[in-house]
Amino acid sequence: MLIDIHAHAAGDYSTADSIKNMAEKYDIEKIVLCTSPKNIQNLQKPPSMPLKQKPDSIYMMNRMNRLAYNHFFKDNGDGNQFVRELKNQLPELIIQFLWVDPLDTGYMDNLENHIHTYEPKGIKLHQAWNSFKIDGTEFKKLADIATSYNLPIFIHLYSKREVLKLLRFIKENQNAVFIIGHLTGGNLFRESGINLKNIYFDTSSSNRIQGSDIKEAIDAFGYEHIVFGTDTPYTSFDEQISRIEQLNLSDNVKEHIYSLNARNILALD
């Protein structure tokens, strides 16, 4: 069975019925769900870029995504509340990650109350949508709170500079647990020489990531640090699975990537 550690409450994951259908179709045990940008539920898979893509092309996409988020996306209400409602309908299937913008002072001032209210299994941060900095006091405050509640932080990183800042933060905060979305900055993590015992890498991406990139990450960080995610609705579920299946990995390695590593991160029984 699969644990999808990276999904948004939109598209195929926007209603209880569609989520159940996806779980049955793909034999999904758990879905780690967070809000979509500004709680837009009818998101579509973005068009393919005409240029040759590679893992680092995400930095250019981040600039485009931030522009769209700030100027063209309409706010559709409380996305965390929407995810909570889905979780209440499917409590055995959905695991909530709480979406937080560290620059939202009102939300941050009540973060611990929100954690008690929503009972999330983790925190989701997205630098392409929210322009906080890793070396800012807001991020440090959030990371300290998350660590005190044993909550992993799933982070979508914005740039190489922010990757390097996160590496410095990890070096000084070894108890914090991070899941790095889309293998972003994998080469910088590999070259850092920093203890990455609590760092995990999510496999989801569009055509920026190929099976060979996932294999490089497995070789560099160990299969125990790679977790399966789809980034639904932005990517094809079938493509995410195919990318791993083509690597001819052992059943043990695939089981860890598909579910066991996520179970360990999320402290599931």
Side-chain angles (χ1 to χ4, degrees):
M1 299 185 75
L2 301 175
I3 294 178
D4 184 353
I5 205 165
H6 185 186
H8 300 275
D12 288 330
Y13 286 163
S14 61
T15 69
D17 286 341
S18 63
I19 291 171
K20 284 192 293 185
N21 289 338
M22 287 291 288
E24 292 172 2
K25 180 178 181 180
Y26 291 103
D27 197 22
I28 304 171
E29 178 186 2
K30 301 284 185 182
I31 298 168
V32 175
L33 201 62
C34 68
T35 182
S36 63
K38 296 190 177 180
N39 199 26
I40 300 173
Q41 292 147 38
N42 61 345
L43 288 173
Q44 304 296 319
K45 183 179 177 181
S48 298
M49 293 177 60
L51 305 175
K52 183 178 180 181
Q53 297 189 55
K54 55 184 179 180
D56 279 1
S57 64
I58 192 171
Y59 302 132
M60 179 176 66
M61 289 297 299
N62 284 339
R63 293 194 291 271
M64 297 169 62
N65 286 335
R66 184 175 288 182
L67 177 68
Y69 181 82
N70 288 330
H71 298 286
F72 302 108
F73 286 9
K74 179 182 177 181
D75 198 311
N76 291 271
D78 188 344
N80 285 326
Q81 178 59 34
F82 180 69
V83 174
R84 184 189 186 195
E85 291 168 0
L86 290 172
K87 181 181 71 170
N88 289 341
Q89 294 177 69
L90 300 170
E92 299 302 316
L93 181 58
I94 293 175
I95 293 172
Q96 182 169 10
F97 267 33
L98 191 68
W99 186 283
V100 181
D101 176 5
L103 299 181
D104 185 339
T105 304
Y107 207 90
M108 284 293 295
D109 286 345
N110 292 284
L111 181 56
E112 293 190 73
N113 289 334
H114 293 308
I115 289 172
H116 289 297
T117 298
Y118 290 102
E119 298 181 322
K121 282 285 190 176
I123 302 292
K124 177 67 182 285
L125 301 179
H126 204 299
Q127 284 192 302
W129 298 348
N130 304 131
S131 56
F132 67 92
K133 304 296 185 183
I134 299 296
D135 56 355
T137 57
E138 302 88 356
F139 175 82
K140 179 64 165 63
K141 176 182 177 181
L142 182 144
D144 286 345
I145 292 174
T147 301
S148 71
Y149 282 89
N150 296 316
L151 297 177
I153 298 173
F154 192 114
I155 186 165
H156 180 121
L157 289 157
Y158 184 73
S159 65
K160 288 183 180 179
R161 179 177 294 180
E162 292 301 305
V163 172
L164 292 171
K165 290 179 183 178
L166 182 61
L167 281 165
R168 289 193 290 270
F169 184 89
I170 290 168
K171 184 178 181 180
E172 298 171 0
N173 298 270
Q174 284 283 296
N175 290 328
V177 178
F178 290 97
I179 305 166
I180 311 301
H182 315 302
L183 301 178
T184 301
N187 59 324
L188 298 175
F189 279 92
R190 285 194 293 270
E191 297 165 2
S192 70
I194 293 172
N195 188 333
L196 302 175
K197 63 178 182 177
N198 287 324
I199 311 303
Y200 302 85
F201 298 86
D202 151 56
T203 62
S204 72
S205 181
S206 60
N207 292 330
R208 292 188 310 274
I209 290 178
Q210 301 300 316
S212 58
D213 299 307
I214 296 175
K215 184 60 168 58
E216 284 183 8
I218 293 171
D219 292 341
F221 309 118
Y223 64 82
E224 301 94 339
H225 290 264
I226 310 300
V227 287
F228 175 76
T230 65
D231 200 17
T232 297
Y234 289 107
T235 61
S236 161
F237 206 109
D238 291 306
E239 288 177 1
Q240 305 309 306
I241 294 176
S242 175
R243 198 174 286 160
I244 294 173
E245 291 298 321
Q246 71 178 344
L247 298 179
N248 296 316
L249 303 171
S250 71
D251 289 342
N252 177 59
V253 170
K254 288 194 291 185
E255 186 179 15
H256 276 78
I257 294 172
Y258 282 139
S259 64
L260 293 184
N261 294 337
R263 295 187 72 85
N264 177 54
I265 297 168
L266 303 171
L268 300 179
D269 293 335

